[in-house]
């Protein structure tokens, strides 16, 4: 393995998802508890518009998720995601306060 190569971990993947959820919440004003479901729903609309098979993509995602979980023995908690939240500048839940004033 090259010294320049940083392995991608499930924590890294969770941090990427954190960035996507944060961007979605900033655009829509949705609150933290609804963000994942709302984003998935909007991705279904996107898949329809782009003629992607969402069910197939979801099945593939579940397959990849299972393989990635199997690669790492120890699960992580919300606390483990804190470093990527700190790098991004704010906690996802605290961003909710600013989003509450926006129409949903």
């Amino acid at each position: 393995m090259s010294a320049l190569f940083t392995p991608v971990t499930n924590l890294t993947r969770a941090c990427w998802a954190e960035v996507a959820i944060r961007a979605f919440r900033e655009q829509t004003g949705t609150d933290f508890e609804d963000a994942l479901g709302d984003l998935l729903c909007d991705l279904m609309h996107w898949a329809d518009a782009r003629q992607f098979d969402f069910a197939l993509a979801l099945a593939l995602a579940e397959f990849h998720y299972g393989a990635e979980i199997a690669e790492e023995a120890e699960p992580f908690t919300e606390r483990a995601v804190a470093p990527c939240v700190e790098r991004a500048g704010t906690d996802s839940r605290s961003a909710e306060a600013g989003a509450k004033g926006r129409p949903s």
Side-chain angles (χ1 to χ4, degrees):
M1 182 182 309
S2 166
L4 299 176
F5 178 75
T6 303
V8 175
T9 65
N10 292 335
L11 178 57
T12 303
R13 293 177 180 104
C15 288
W16 293 337
E18 178 72 29
V19 171
I21 291 286
R22 178 172 288 120
F24 179 76
R25 291 187 62 217
E26 287 173 2
Q27 288 294 308
T28 64
T30 193
D31 46 18
F32 181 81
E33 291 78 15
D34 295 331
L36 179 58
D38 287 353
L39 177 57
L40 287 170
C41 177
D42 289 353
L43 286 170
M44 289 177 185
H45 293 301
W46 179 88
D48 289 345
R50 299 290 187 163
Q51 299 178 353
F52 277 85
D53 182 338
F54 185 85
L56 180 62
L58 184 58
L60 183 59
E62 289 174 338
F63 176 78
H64 284 231
Y65 174 76
E68 291 164 359
I69 290 297
E71 287 177 0
E72 292 185 25
E74 294 188 30
F76 54 87
T77 63
E78 184 176 337
R79 178 175 295 168
V81 181
C84 68
V85 172
E86 291 166 6
R87 284 193 303 270
T90 60
D91 180 358
S92 290
R93 292 176 191 257
S94 67
E96 181 177 337
K100 286 281 187 191
R102 291 186 231 155
S104 41

